[in-house]
């Protein structure tokens, strides 16, 4: 069992390292790519979210290798780090959590993972659609090199309910981002995959007071993607990202629709890295962890 790994392909644009704590996700997002990645049917994948056997023990073994580096570990790509769960955390001591002597179940395992990474000074990014359910771990993120992120695609919650039926409502996710920002935790929002460009644009234009970075990507592998004029929308989305005054990244698949001369602007904002976040942090990876 390997807990921390290097993402490949489009996922590599988001993070140089990742850890998937769970298998399955009950959010039921209609655009989710994870069932195909894991070779599971959608029905099986969305039926439950279970802690991967041995992942906490593997994380304890691997975390020291990445301590003190600049490369953030993203939780999680193929699952959400905050599925509904029983209250294991309230029943175990901190020592038990760190030693893993009481097997964590459900999303309480996410706090265990964060504490392990914090103990070894491993920077972390949490990406979730669970909204304020994640706020219980903001105390850990605030005292470590942690970032908090959520996926936001819609301003209209009725559209969210259609595409992400069991994920947190739009306002609840915005509340979580506002809370993290208020606590001084760096925040970013994944506007990917864009379903309705108008709503995506509105999010960027209205939430940049609490969002430190925007990561923007198009819809892929879905019939709706062919109906959207990406060549018309890509420049408008880039304009909004630049006007936000925040750091931003236009993912490669969307940047391909920018006009010549603007594609090199797909990264920008205060202290923006000259390339993907994964490229900026690659030099900090242990030599035996680089691809």
């Amino acid at each position: 069992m390997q807990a921390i790994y290097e993402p490949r392909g489009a996922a590599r644009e988001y993070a140089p390292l990742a850890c998937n704590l769970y298998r399955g996700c009950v959010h039921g997002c209609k655009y989710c790519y994870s069932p195909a990645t894991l070779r599971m049917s959608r029905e099986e994948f969305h039926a439950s979210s279970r802690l991967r056997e041995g992942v906490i023990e593997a994380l304890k073994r691997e975390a020291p290798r990445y301590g003190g580096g600049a490369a953030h570990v993203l939780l999680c790509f193929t699952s959400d780090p905050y599925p509904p769960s029983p209250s294991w955390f309230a029943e175990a001591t901190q020592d038990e959590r760190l030693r893993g002597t009481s097997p964590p179940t459900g999303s309480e395992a996410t706090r265990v993972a964060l504490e392990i990474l914090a103990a070894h000074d491993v920077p972390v990014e949490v990406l979730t659609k669970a909204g304020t359910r994640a706020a219980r771990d903001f105390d850990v993120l605030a005292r470590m090199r942690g970032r908090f992120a959520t996926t936001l695609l819609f301003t209209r919650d009725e559209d969210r309910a259609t595409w992400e039926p069991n994920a947190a409502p739009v306002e609840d996710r915005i509340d979580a981002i506002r809370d993290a920002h208020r606590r001084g935790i760096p925040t970013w929002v994944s506007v990917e995959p864009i379903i309705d460009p108008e709503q995506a644009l509105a999010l960027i234009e209205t939430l940049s007071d609490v969002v430190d970075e925007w990561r923007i990507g198009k819809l892929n592998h879905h019939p709706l993607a062919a109906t959207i004029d990406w060549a018309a929308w890509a420049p408008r989305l880039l304009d909004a990202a630049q006007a936000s005054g925040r750091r931003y990244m236009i993912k490669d698949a969307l940047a391909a629709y920018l006009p010549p001369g603007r594609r090199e602007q797909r990264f920008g904002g205060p202290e923006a890295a000259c390339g993907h976040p994964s490229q900026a942090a690659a030099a900090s990876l242990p030599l035996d962890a680089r691809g």
Side-chain angles (χ1 to χ4, degrees):
M1 157 71 72
Q2 180 181 1
I4 300 173
Y5 71 98
E6 271 194 84
R8 305 294 182 184
R12 176 76 176 179
E13 297 182 61
Y14 266 16
L17 297 169
C19 176
N20 297 314
L21 298 171
Y22 306 94
R23 183 174 175 86
C25 180
V26 300
H27 286 163
C29 301
K30 302 296 176 61
Y31 52 76
C32 184
Y33 65 86
S34 293
T37 300
L38 299 175
R39 295 181 173 85
M40 298 173 68
S41 69
R42 286 190 170 273
E43 292 74 18
E44 179 187 8
F45 180 80
H46 291 307
S48 65
S49 182
R50 299 180 181 179
L51 183 68
R52 295 172 63 209
E53 185 176 354
V55 70
I56 294 297
E57 290 73 17
L59 189 62
K60 288 192 295 180
R61 291 193 305 269
E62 298 168 19
R65 295 172 55 203
Y66 300 95
H72 284 70
V73 175
L74 187 141
L75 307 178
C76 306
F77 269 128
T78 61
S79 61
D80 194 286
Y82 289 98
S85 61
S87 57
W88 177 88
F89 173 73
E91 301 169 2
T93 67
Q94 181 176 1
D95 183 60
E96 286 176 327
R97 295 196 305 273
L98 289 173
R99 288 188 287 111
T101 53
S102 296
T105 57
S107 63
E108 281 74 15
T110 299
R111 187 176 182 96
V112 176
L114 289 172
E115 289 175 332
I116 292 169
L117 294 167
H120 294 283
D121 191 28
V122 181
V124 175
E125 296 183 318
V126 169
L127 176 61
T128 181
K129 296 175 188 160
T132 55
R133 191 160 67 240
R136 66 186 183 192
D137 291 343
F138 283 177
D139 62 319
V140 183
L141 285 176
R143 62 178 164 81
M144 67 185 299
R145 289 188 292 154
R147 299 172 182 166
F148 178 74
T150 192
T151 297
L152 279 172
L153 307 179
F154 306 106
T155 56
R156 297 193 296 267
D157 200 60
E158 58 268 29
D159 293 329
R160 187 278 313 163
T162 298
W163 285 89
E164 305 165 333
N166 300 320
V170 171
E171 283 302 319
D172 191 60
R173 292 186 226 178
I174 293 174
D175 286 345
I177 282 284
R178 291 191 183 281
D179 189 7
H181 182 78
R182 183 170 58 250
R183 298 189 196 206
I185 300 169
T187 61
W188 58 272
V189 165
S190 171
V191 189
E192 184 193 29
I194 293 173
I195 307 295
D196 181 339
E198 285 281 7
Q199 293 187 66
L201 199 65
L203 289 167
I204 299 168
E205 291 174 344
T206 59
L207 291 178
S208 289
D209 60 325
V210 293
V211 176
D212 295 310
E213 182 178 354
W214 295 98
R215 303 186 187 182
I216 305 165
K218 67 183 289 291
L219 178 67
N220 296 299
H221 313 300
H222 191 283
L224 180 64
T227 70
I228 298 173
D229 187 351
W230 298 111
W233 280 106
R236 293 185 62 185
L237 290 160
L238 175 57
D239 288 343
Q242 291 175 329
S244 74
R246 299 298 188 176
R247 184 171 172 174
Y248 68 85
M249 174 181 70
I250 307 294
K251 290 193 71 177
D252 287 351
L254 180 59
Y257 289 88
L258 290 169
R262 297 205 72 188
R263 291 174 189 172
E264 65 274 13
Q265 300 174 24
R266 65 187 185 277
F267 306 102
E271 301 179 359
C274 297
H276 298 158
S278 59
Q279 295 169 335
S284 69
L285 294 179
L287 290 177
D288 59 350
R290 298 179 193 175

